[in-house]
Amino acid sequence: MAGRIARWGAALGLGALWWWAVLRLALTPHAGALEGAVAAGGWGLSLLPVHCMPKARAAGAVAAGRWRAAWRTSAADEAPVTTASPPLRSDGGSDPS
């Protein structure tokens, strides 16, 4: 119970600090680097993924080693790739006839 109260208190305190910085930046001409750093830092924290789960439980997760295996396939296993390109035309591609 005490841990829950501490987490809520920290969240409310940091939220109030962030709102103070944002409002001070928006409303007063004397806001400075401290307010900007607090506002930018709080916004940056909001971009963190908070709904994370282990990769094994994630829906649609790519299996471990899949990309490694794709890079290690030999060229003999794949179809040959053609590198020929069409000849360049000096008339810009227009056909007068």
Side-chain angles (χ1 to χ4, degrees):
M1 182 71 173
R4 179 181 287 176
I5 293 172
R7 281 193 306 262
W8 274 99
L12 289 174
L14 292 173
L17 178 68
W18 184 80
W19 275 109
W20 166 81
V22 169
L23 290 174
R24 187 160 159 88
L25 278 172
L27 301 175
T28 64
H30 303 294
L34 176 66
E35 290 87 353
V38 169
W43 179 79
L45 285 175
S46 72
L47 299 177
L48 289 175
V50 293
H51 303 291
C52 298
M53 66 175 53
K55 190 173 184 180
R57 290 182 42 205
V62 178
R66 178 175 176 243
W67 295 110
R68 215 174 315 134
W71 280 102
R72 290 185 182 175
T73 38
S74 65
D77 295 343
E78 299 175 7
V81 177
T82 60
T83 58
S85 59
L88 297 176
R89 296 176 60 168
S90 62
D91 61 352
S94 62
D95 190 16
S97 55

Coordinates of all heavy atoms in Angstrom, one line a residue:
M1 N 0.8 -1.2 0.0 CA 0.0 0.0 0.0 C 0.9 1.3 0.0 O 0.6 2.2 -0.7 CB -0.9 0.0 1.2 CG -1.9 1.1 1.3 SD -3.1 1.0 0.1 CE -4.2 2.3 0.5
A2 N 1.9 1.2 0.8 CA 2.8 2.4 0.8 C 3.5 2.6 -0.5 O 3.7 3.8 -0.9 CB 3.9 2.2 1.9
G3 N 3.8 1.5 -1.2 CA 4.5 1.7 -2.5 C 3.5 2.3 -3.5 O 4.0 3.1 -4.4
R4 N 2.3 2.0 -3.5 CA 1.3 2.6 -4.4 C 1.1 4.0 -4.1 O 1.1 4.9 -5.0 CB -0.1 1.8 -4.2 CG -1.1 2.4 -5.1 CD -2.4 1.7 -4.9 NE -2.4 0.4 -5.5 CZ -3.3 -0.5 -5.5 NH1 -4.4 -0.2 -4.8 NH2 -3.2 -1.6 -6.1
I5 N 1.1 4.4 -2.8 CA 1.0 5.8 -2.5 C 2.2 6.6 -2.9 O 2.1 7.7 -3.5 CB 0.7 6.0 -1.0 CG1 -0.6 5.4 -0.6 CG2 0.8 7.4 -0.5 CD1 -0.9 5.3 0.9
A6 N 3.4 6.0 -2.8 CA 4.6 6.7 -3.2 C 4.6 6.9 -4.7 O 5.0 7.9 -5.2 CB 5.8 5.9 -2.7
R7 N 4.2 5.9 -5.5 CA 4.2 6.0 -6.9 C 3.2 7.1 -7.4 O 3.5 7.9 -8.3 CB 3.8 4.6 -7.6 CG 4.9 3.7 -7.6 CD 4.6 2.5 -8.5 NE 3.4 1.8 -8.2 CZ 3.3 0.7 -7.4 NH1 4.4 0.1 -7.0 NH2 2.1 0.2 -7.2
W8 N 2.0 7.1 -6.8 CA 1.0 8.1 -7.1 C 1.5 9.5 -6.7 O 1.3 10.5 -7.5 CB -0.3 7.8 -6.4 CG -1.2 6.9 -7.3 CD1 -1.3 5.6 -7.1 CD2 -2.0 7.3 -8.4 NE1 -2.2 5.1 -8.0 CE2 -2.6 6.1 -8.9 CE3 -2.2 8.4 -9.1 CZ2 -3.4 6.1 -10.0 CZ3 -3.0 8.4 -10.2 CH2 -3.6 7.2 -10.6
G9 N 2.2 9.6 -5.6 CA 2.7 10.9 -5.2 C 3.8 11.4 -6.1 O 3.8 12.5 -6.5
A10 N 4.7 10.4 -6.5 CA 5.7 10.8 -7.5 C 5.1 11.2 -8.8 O 5.6 12.2 -9.4 CB 6.7 9.7 -7.6
A11 N 4.1 10.5 -9.3 CA 3.5 10.8 -10.6 C 2.8 12.2 -10.5 O 3.0 13.0 -11.5 CB 2.5 9.7 -11.0
L12 N 2.1 12.4 -9.5 CA 1.4 13.7 -9.3 C 2.4 14.9 -9.2 O 2.2 15.9 -9.8 CB 0.4 13.7 -8.2 CG -0.8 12.8 -8.4 CD1 -1.6 12.8 -7.1 CD2 -1.6 13.4 -9.5
G13 N 3.5 14.6 -8.4 CA 4.5 15.7 -8.2 C 5.2 16.0 -9.5 O 5.4 17.2 -9.9
L14 N 5.6 15.0 -10.2 CA 6.3 15.2 -11.5 C 5.4 15.8 -12.6 O 5.8 16.6 -13.4 CB 7.0 13.9 -12.0 CG 8.1 13.4 -11.1 CD1 8.6 12.0 -11.6 CD2 9.3 14.4 -11.2
G15 N 4.1 15.4 -12.5 CA 3.2 15.9 -13.5 C 2.9 17.4 -13.2 O 2.8 18.2 -14.1
A16 N 2.8 17.8 -11.9 CA 2.7 19.2 -11.5 C 3.9 20.0 -11.9 O 3.8 21.1 -12.4 CB 2.4 19.3 -10.0
L17 N 5.1 19.4 -11.8 CA 6.3 20.1 -12.2 C 6.3 20.3 -13.7 O 6.7 21.4 -14.1 CB 7.5 19.3 -11.7 CG 8.9 19.9 -12.1 CD1 9.1 21.2 -11.3 CD2 10.0 18.8 -11.8
W18 N 5.9 19.3 -14.4 CA 5.9 19.5 -15.9 C 4.9 20.5 -16.3 O 5.2 21.4 -17.2 CB 5.5 18.1 -16.5 CG 5.6 18.2 -18.0 CD1 6.7 18.1 -18.8 CD2 4.5 18.4 -18.9 NE1 6.4 18.2 -20.1 CE2 5.0 18.4 -20.2 CE3 3.2 18.5 -18.8 CZ2 4.3 18.6 -21.3 CZ3 2.4 18.7 -19.9 CH2 2.9 18.7 -21.2
W19 N 3.7 20.5 -15.8 CA 2.7 21.5 -16.1 C 3.2 22.9 -15.7 O 2.9 23.9 -16.5 CB 1.3 21.2 -15.5 CG 0.5 20.3 -16.3 CD1 0.3 19.0 -16.0 CD2 0.0 20.6 -17.6 NE1 -0.4 18.5 -17.1 CE2 -0.7 19.4 -18.0 CE3 -0.1 21.7 -18.4 CZ2 -1.3 19.3 -19.2 CZ3 -0.8 21.6 -19.6 CH2 -1.4 20.4 -20.0
W20 N 3.8 23.1 -14.6 CA 4.4 24.4 -14.2 C 5.3 24.9 -15.3 O 5.3 26.0 -15.7 CB 5.1 24.3 -12.8 CG 5.9 25.4 -12.5 CD1 5.5 26.6 -12.0 CD2 7.3 25.5 -12.7 NE1 6.6 27.5 -11.9 CE2 7.7 26.8 -12.3 CE3 8.3 24.7 -13.2 CZ2 9.1 27.3 -12.4 CZ3 9.6 25.1 -13.3 CH2 10.0 26.4 -12.9
A21 N 6.2 24.0 -15.7 CA 7.2 24.4 -16.7 C 6.6 24.8 -18.0 O 6.9 25.8 -18.7 CB 8.2 23.3 -17.0
V22 N 5.6 24.0 -18.5 CA 4.9 24.3 -19.8 C 4.2 25.6 -19.7 O 4.2 26.4 -20.6 CB 4.0 23.1 -20.1 CG1 3.1 23.5 -21.3 CG2 4.8 21.9 -20.5
L23 N 3.4 25.8 -18.6 CA 2.6 27.0 -18.5 C 3.6 28.2 -18.3 O 3.3 29.3 -18.9 CB 1.7 26.9 -17.3 CG 0.5 25.9 -17.5 CD1 -0.3 25.8 -16.2 CD2 -0.3 26.4 -18.7
R24 N 4.7 28.1 -17.6 CA 5.6 29.2 -17.5 C 6.2 29.5 -18.8 O 6.4 30.7 -19.2 CB 6.7 28.8 -16.5 CG 7.6 30.0 -16.1 CD 8.3 29.8 -14.8 NE 9.5 30.6 -14.8 CZ 9.5 31.8 -14.3 NH1 8.4 32.3 -13.8 NH2 10.6 32.5 -14.3
L25 N 6.5 28.5 -19.6 CA 7.1 28.8 -21.0 C 6.1 29.5 -21.9 O 6.4 30.4 -22.6 CB 7.5 27.4 -21.7 CG 8.8 26.9 -21.3 CD1 9.0 25.5 -21.9 CD2 9.9 27.8 -21.8
A26 N 4.8 29.1 -21.7 CA 3.8 29.7 -22.6 C 3.3 31.0 -22.2 O 2.9 31.9 -23.0 CB 2.6 28.7 -22.6
L27 N 3.3 31.3 -20.8 CA 2.7 32.5 -20.4 C 3.6 33.6 -19.9 O 3.2 34.8 -19.7 CB 1.7 32.2 -19.2 CG 0.6 31.2 -19.6 CD1 -0.2 30.8 -18.4 CD2 -0.3 31.7 -20.7
T28 N 4.8 33.3 -19.6 CA 5.7 34.4 -19.0 C 6.9 34.6 -20.0 O 7.4 33.7 -20.6 CB 6.3 34.0 -17.7 OG1 7.1 32.9 -17.8 CG2 5.2 33.7 -16.7
P29 N 7.3 35.9 -20.0 CA 8.5 36.2 -20.9 C 9.8 35.9 -20.2 O 10.8 35.9 -20.9 CB 8.3 37.7 -21.1 CG 7.6 38.2 -20.0 CD 6.7 37.1 -19.5
H30 N 9.8 35.5 -18.9 CA 11.0 35.3 -18.2 C 11.4 33.8 -18.1 O 12.3 33.5 -17.3 CB 10.9 35.9 -16.8 CG 10.6 37.3 -16.8 ND1 11.5 38.3 -17.3 CD2 9.5 38.0 -16.4 CE1 10.9 39.5 -17.2 NE2 9.7 39.3 -16.7
A31 N 10.7 32.9 -18.8 CA 11.0 31.5 -18.7 C 12.4 31.3 -19.4 O 12.8 31.9 -20.3 CB 9.9 30.7 -19.4
G32 N 13.1 30.3 -18.9 CA 14.4 30.1 -19.4 C 14.7 28.6 -19.7 O 13.8 27.8 -20.0
A33 N 16.0 28.3 -19.6 CA 16.4 27.0 -20.0 C 15.9 25.9 -19.0 O 15.7 24.8 -19.5 CB 18.0 26.9 -20.0
L34 N 15.8 26.2 -17.8 CA 15.3 25.2 -16.8 C 13.9 24.7 -17.2 O 13.6 23.5 -17.2 CB 15.3 25.8 -15.4 CG 14.7 24.9 -14.3 CD1 15.6 23.6 -14.2 CD2 14.6 25.6 -13.0
E35 N 13.0 25.7 -17.4 CA 11.6 25.3 -17.8 C 11.6 24.6 -19.1 O 10.8 23.6 -19.3 CB 10.8 26.6 -17.9 CG 10.5 27.2 -16.6 CD 11.6 28.2 -16.2 OE1 12.6 28.3 -16.9 OE2 11.4 28.9 -15.2
G36 N 12.4 25.0 -20.1 CA 12.5 24.3 -21.3 C 13.0 22.9 -21.2 O 12.5 21.9 -21.8
A37 N 14.0 22.7 -20.3 CA 14.5 21.3 -20.1 C 13.5 20.4 -19.4 O 13.3 19.3 -19.8 CB 15.8 21.4 -19.3
V38 N 12.8 21.0 -18.5 CA 11.8 20.2 -17.8 C 10.6 19.8 -18.7 O 10.2 18.7 -18.8 CB 11.2 20.9 -16.5 CG1 10.0 20.3 -16.0 CG2 12.3 21.1 -15.5
A39 N 10.2 20.8 -19.5 CA 9.1 20.5 -20.5 C 9.5 19.5 -21.5 O 8.8 18.5 -21.8 CB 8.6 21.8 -21.1
A40 N 10.7 19.7 -22.1 CA 11.2 18.7 -23.1 C 11.4 17.3 -22.5 O 11.2 16.3 -23.2 CB 12.5 19.3 -23.8
G41 N 12.0 17.3 -21.3 CA 12.2 16.0 -20.7 C 10.9 15.2 -20.4 O 10.9 14.0 -20.6
G42 N 9.9 15.9 -19.9 CA 8.7 15.3 -19.7 C 8.0 14.8 -20.9 O 7.4 13.7 -21.0
W43 N 8.1 15.6 -22.0 CA 7.5 15.2 -23.3 C 8.3 14.0 -23.8 O 7.7 13.0 -24.3 CB 7.6 16.3 -24.3 CG 7.0 16.0 -25.6 CD1 5.7 15.9 -26.0 CD2 7.8 15.6 -26.8 NE1 5.6 15.5 -27.3 CE2 6.9 15.3 -27.8 CE3 9.2 15.5 -27.0 CZ2 7.3 15.0 -29.1 CZ3 9.6 15.1 -28.3 CH2 8.6 14.9 -29.3
G44 N 9.6 14.0 -23.7 CA 10.4 12.8 -24.1 C 10.1 11.6 -23.4 O 10.0 10.5 -24.0
L45 N 9.8 11.7 -22.1 CA 9.4 10.5 -21.3 C 8.1 9.9 -21.8 O 7.8 8.7 -21.7 CB 9.3 10.8 -19.9 CG 10.7 10.9 -19.1 CD1 10.5 11.4 -17.7 CD2 11.4 9.6 -19.2
S46 N 7.2 10.8 -22.3 CA 5.9 10.3 -22.8 C 6.0 9.5 -24.0 O 5.1 8.8 -24.4 CB 5.0 11.5 -23.0 OG 5.4 12.2 -24.2
L47 N 7.2 9.5 -24.7 CA 7.4 8.8 -25.9 C 7.9 7.4 -25.7 O 7.9 6.5 -26.6 CB 8.3 9.5 -26.8 CG 7.9 10.9 -27.3 CD1 9.0 11.5 -28.2 CD2 6.6 10.8 -28.1
L48 N 8.2 7.1 -24.4 CA 8.7 5.7 -24.1 C 7.6 4.7 -24.2 O 6.5 5.0 -23.9 CB 9.3 5.7 -22.6 CG 10.6 6.5 -22.4 CD1 10.9 6.4 -20.9 CD2 11.7 5.8 -23.2
P49 N 8.0 3.5 -24.7 CA 6.9 2.5 -24.8 C 6.6 1.9 -23.4 O 7.5 1.3 -22.7 CB 7.6 1.4 -25.7 CG 9.0 1.6 -25.5 CD 9.2 3.1 -25.3
V50 N 5.5 2.1 -22.9 CA 5.1 1.7 -21.5 C 4.4 0.4 -21.5 O 4.2 -0.2 -20.5 CB 4.3 2.8 -20.8 CG1 5.2 4.0 -20.5 CG2 3.1 3.1 -21.5
H51 N 3.9 0.0 -22.7 CA 3.2 -1.3 -22.8 C 4.1 -2.4 -23.4 O 3.8 -2.9 -24.5 CB 1.9 -1.1 -23.6 CG 1.0 0.0 -23.1 ND1 0.3 -0.2 -21.9 CD2 0.7 1.2 -23.5 CE1 -0.3 0.9 -21.6 NE2 -0.1 1.8 -22.6
C52 N 5.1 -2.7 -22.7 CA 6.1 -3.7 -23.3 C 5.8 -5.0 -22.7 O 5.2 -5.2 -21.6 CB 7.5 -3.3 -22.9 SG 8.0 -1.7 -23.6
M53 N 6.2 -6.0 -23.5 CA 6.0 -7.4 -23.0 C 7.2 -8.2 -23.6 O 7.8 -7.8 -24.6 CB 4.7 -8.0 -23.4 CG 4.5 -8.2 -24.8 SD 2.9 -9.0 -25.2 CE 1.7 -8.1 -24.4
P54 N 7.5 -9.4 -23.1 CA 8.5 -10.2 -23.6 C 8.3 -10.5 -25.1 O 7.1 -10.7 -25.5 CB 8.5 -11.5 -22.8 CG 7.9 -11.1 -21.5 CD 6.9 -10.0 -21.9
K55 N 9.3 -10.6 -25.9 CA 9.2 -10.9 -27.3 C 8.4 -12.2 -27.6 O 7.7 -12.3 -28.6 CB 10.5 -10.9 -28.0 CG 10.5 -10.8 -29.5 CD 11.9 -10.7 -30.0 CE 11.9 -10.6 -31.5 NZ 13.2 -10.4 -32.1
A56 N 8.6 -13.2 -26.8 CA 8.0 -14.5 -27.0 C 6.5 -14.4 -26.9 O 5.7 -15.1 -27.5 CB 8.5 -15.5 -26.0
R57 N 5.9 -13.4 -26.1 CA 4.5 -13.3 -25.9 C 3.9 -12.3 -26.8 O 2.6 -12.2 -26.9 CB 4.2 -12.9 -24.4 CG 4.5 -13.9 -23.4 CD 4.2 -13.5 -22.0 NE 2.9 -12.8 -22.0 CZ 2.6 -11.9 -21.0 NH1 3.5 -11.7 -20.0 NH2 1.5 -11.3 -21.0
A58 N 4.7 -11.5 -27.5 CA 4.1 -10.4 -28.4 C 3.5 -11.0 -29.6 O 4.1 -11.9 -30.3 CB 5.2 -9.5 -28.8
A59 N 2.4 -10.5 -30.0 CA 1.7 -11.0 -31.2 C 2.4 -10.5 -32.5 O 2.7 -9.3 -32.6 CB 0.2 -10.5 -31.2
G60 N 2.7 -11.4 -33.3 CA 3.4 -11.1 -34.6 C 4.9 -10.8 -34.5 O 5.5 -10.2 -35.3
A61 N 5.5 -11.2 -33.3 CA 6.9 -11.0 -33.1 C 7.7 -11.9 -34.1 O 7.4 -13.0 -34.4 CB 7.3 -11.3 -31.7
V62 N 8.8 -11.3 -34.6 CA 9.7 -12.1 -35.5 C 10.6 -13.0 -34.7 O 11.1 -12.6 -33.6 CB 10.6 -11.1 -36.3 CG1 11.6 -11.8 -37.2 CG2 9.7 -10.2 -37.1
A63 N 10.7 -14.2 -35.1 CA 11.5 -15.2 -34.3 C 13.0 -14.8 -34.3 O 13.5 -14.1 -35.2 CB 11.4 -16.6 -35.0
A64 N 13.6 -15.1 -33.2 CA 15.0 -14.8 -33.0 C 15.9 -15.5 -34.1 O 15.7 -16.6 -34.4 CB 15.5 -15.2 -31.6
G65 N 16.8 -14.8 -34.7 CA 17.7 -15.3 -35.7 C 17.2 -15.3 -37.1 O 17.8 -15.8 -38.0
R66 N 15.9 -14.8 -37.3 CA 15.4 -14.8 -38.6 C 16.2 -14.0 -39.6 O 16.4 -14.4 -40.7 CB 13.9 -14.3 -38.6 CG 13.3 -14.3 -39.9 CD 11.8 -13.9 -39.8 NE 11.2 -13.8 -41.1 CZ 10.8 -12.6 -41.6 NH1 10.8 -11.6 -40.9 NH2 10.3 -12.6 -42.8
W67 N 16.5 -12.8 -39.2 CA 17.3 -11.9 -40.1 C 18.7 -12.5 -40.3 O 19.2 -12.4 -41.4 CB 17.3 -10.5 -39.6 CG 15.9 -9.9 -39.5 CD1 15.2 -9.6 -38.5 CD2 15.1 -9.6 -40.7 NE1 14.0 -9.1 -38.8 CE2 13.9 -9.1 -40.2 CE3 15.3 -9.6 -42.0 CZ2 12.9 -8.6 -41.0 CZ3 14.3 -9.2 -42.9 CH2 13.1 -8.7 -42.4
R68 N 19.3 -13.0 -39.3 CA 20.6 -13.6 -39.4 C 20.6 -14.7 -40.5 O 21.5 -14.8 -41.3 CB 21.1 -14.1 -38.1 CG 22.5 -14.0 -37.8 CD 22.9 -14.4 -36.4 NE 22.0 -13.8 -35.4 CZ 21.5 -14.5 -34.4 NH1 21.8 -15.8 -34.3 NH2 20.7 -14.0 -33.6
A69 N 19.6 -15.6 -40.4 CA 19.5 -16.7 -41.4 C 19.2 -16.1 -42.8 O 19.8 -16.7 -43.7 CB 18.3 -17.6 -41.0
A70 N 18.5 -15.1 -42.9 CA 18.2 -14.5 -44.3 C 19.5 -14.0 -44.9 O 19.8 -14.1 -46.1 CB 17.2 -13.4 -44.2
W71 N 20.3 -13.4 -44.1 CA 21.6 -12.8 -44.6 C 22.6 -13.9 -44.9 O 23.5 -13.7 -45.7 CB 22.2 -11.8 -43.6 CG 21.5 -10.5 -43.6 CD1 20.6 -10.0 -42.8 CD2 21.7 -9.5 -44.6 NE1 20.2 -8.8 -43.1 CE2 20.9 -8.4 -44.3 CE3 22.5 -9.3 -45.7 CZ2 20.8 -7.2 -45.0 CZ3 22.5 -8.2 -46.5 CH2 21.6 -7.1 -46.1
R72 N 22.5 -15.0 -44.3 CA 23.5 -16.1 -44.5 C 23.2 -17.0 -45.6 O 23.9 -17.9 -45.9 CB 23.7 -16.9 -43.2 CG 24.4 -16.1 -42.1 CD 24.6 -16.9 -40.9 NE 25.2 -16.1 -39.9 CZ 25.5 -16.5 -38.7 NH1 25.2 -17.7 -38.3 NH2 26.1 -15.7 -37.8
T73 N 22.0 -16.8 -46.3 CA 21.7 -17.7 -47.4 C 22.7 -17.5 -48.5 O 23.1 -16.4 -48.8 CB 20.3 -17.4 -48.0 OG1 20.0 -16.1 -47.9 CG2 19.3 -18.2 -47.3
S74 N 23.1 -18.6 -49.1 CA 24.1 -18.4 -50.2 C 23.5 -17.9 -51.5 O 22.3 -18.1 -51.7 CB 24.8 -19.8 -50.5 OG 23.8 -20.7 -51.0
A75 N 24.2 -17.4 -52.3 CA 23.7 -16.8 -53.6 C 23.3 -18.0 -54.5 O 22.4 -17.8 -55.4 CB 24.8 -16.0 -54.3
A76 N 23.8 -19.2 -54.3 CA 23.4 -20.3 -55.2 C 21.9 -20.7 -54.9 O 21.2 -21.2 -55.7 CB 24.3 -21.5 -54.9
D77 N 21.4 -20.4 -53.7 CA 20.0 -20.8 -53.3 C 19.0 -19.8 -54.0 O 17.9 -20.1 -54.1 CB 19.9 -20.7 -51.8 CG 20.7 -21.8 -51.1 OD1 21.1 -22.8 -51.8 OD2 20.9 -21.7 -49.9
E78 N 19.5 -18.7 -54.4 CA 18.5 -17.6 -54.9 C 18.5 -17.6 -56.4 O 19.5 -18.1 -57.0 CB 19.0 -16.3 -54.3 CG 18.9 -16.2 -52.8 CD 19.4 -14.8 -52.3 OE1 19.7 -14.0 -53.2 OE2 19.6 -14.7 -51.1
A79 N 17.5 -17.1 -57.0 CA 17.4 -16.9 -58.4 C 18.4 -15.9 -58.8 O 18.7 -14.9 -58.1 CB 16.0 -16.5 -58.8
P80 N 19.0 -16.0 -60.0 CA 19.9 -15.0 -60.5 C 19.3 -13.7 -60.7 O 18.1 -13.6 -61.1 CB 20.5 -15.6 -61.8 CG 19.4 -16.6 -62.2 CD 18.8 -17.1 -61.0
V81 N 20.0 -12.6 -60.4 CA 19.5 -11.3 -60.5 C 20.1 -10.7 -61.8 O 21.3 -10.7 -62.0 CB 19.9 -10.4 -59.3 CG1 19.4 -9.0 -59.5 CG2 19.3 -11.1 -58.0
T82 N 19.2 -10.1 -62.6 CA 19.7 -9.5 -63.8 C 20.0 -8.0 -63.5 O 19.3 -7.4 -62.8 CB 18.6 -9.5 -65.0 OG1 17.5 -8.8 -64.5 CG2 18.3 -10.9 -65.4
T83 N 21.1 -7.6 -64.1 CA 21.5 -6.2 -63.9 C 21.4 -5.4 -65.1 O 21.9 -4.2 -65.2 CB 22.9 -6.1 -63.3 OG1 23.8 -6.8 -64.2 CG2 23.0 -6.8 -62.0
A84 N 20.9 -5.9 -66.2 CA 20.8 -5.2 -67.5 C 19.8 -4.1 -67.4 O 18.8 -4.2 -66.8 CB 20.5 -6.1 -68.6
S85 N 20.1 -3.0 -68.0 CA 19.2 -1.9 -68.0 C 18.9 -1.5 -69.5 O 19.7 -1.8 -70.3 CB 19.7 -0.7 -67.3 OG 20.9 -0.3 -67.9
P86 N 17.7 -0.9 -69.7 CA 17.4 -0.6 -71.1 C 18.4 0.5 -71.6 O 18.9 1.3 -70.8 CB 16.0 0.0 -71.0 CG 15.8 0.4 -69.6 CD 16.7 -0.5 -68.8
P87 N 18.6 0.5 -72.9 CA 19.6 1.5 -73.4 C 19.0 2.9 -73.3 O 17.8 3.1 -73.3 CB 19.7 1.1 -74.9 CG 18.5 0.3 -75.2 CD 18.1 -0.4 -74.0
L88 N 19.9 3.9 -73.1 CA 19.5 5.3 -72.9 C 19.2 5.9 -74.3 O 19.8 5.6 -75.2 CB 20.6 6.0 -72.2 CG 20.9 5.6 -70.8 CD1 22.1 6.4 -70.3 CD2 19.7 5.8 -69.9
R89 N 18.2 6.7 -74.3 CA 17.8 7.4 -75.5 C 18.2 8.8 -75.5 O 17.9 9.5 -74.5 CB 16.3 7.2 -75.8 CG 15.9 5.8 -75.9 CD 14.4 5.6 -76.1 NE 13.9 6.4 -77.2 CZ 12.7 6.3 -77.7 NH1 11.8 5.5 -77.1 NH2 12.3 7.0 -78.7
S90 N 18.7 9.3 -76.5 CA 19.2 10.7 -76.5 C 18.1 11.7 -76.8 O 18.2 12.9 -76.6 CB 20.3 10.9 -77.6 OG 19.8 10.6 -78.9
D91 N 16.9 11.2 -77.3 CA 15.9 12.1 -77.7 C 14.9 12.4 -76.5 O 13.8 12.9 -76.7 CB 15.1 11.6 -78.9 CG 14.5 10.3 -78.7 OD1 14.7 9.7 -77.6 OD2 13.7 9.8 -79.5
G92 N 15.2 11.9 -75.3 CA 14.4 12.2 -74.2 C 13.2 11.3 -74.1 O 12.3 11.5 -73.3
G93 N 13.1 10.2 -74.9 CA 12.0 9.3 -74.8 C 10.9 9.6 -75.7 O 9.9 8.9 -75.8
S94 N 10.9 10.7 -76.5 CA 9.8 11.0 -77.4 C 10.0 10.3 -78.7 O 11.1 10.1 -79.2 CB 9.7 12.6 -77.6 OG 10.9 13.0 -78.2
D95 N 8.9 10.0 -79.3 CA 9.0 9.3 -80.6 C 8.3 10.1 -81.7 O 7.0 10.2 -81.6 CB 8.3 7.9 -80.5 CG 8.5 7.0 -81.7 OD1 9.4 7.3 -82.5 OD2 7.8 6.0 -81.8
P96 N 9.0 10.7 -82.6 CA 8.4 11.7 -83.5 C 7.5 11.0 -84.6 O 6.7 11.6 -85.3 CB 9.5 12.4 -84.2 CG 10.7 11.5 -84.0 CD 10.4 10.7 -82.7
S97 N 7.7 9.7 -84.8 CA 6.9 9.0 -85.9 C 5.6 8.6 -85.5 O 5.0 8.7 -84.6 CB 7.7 7.8 -86.4 OG 8.0 6.9 -85.3

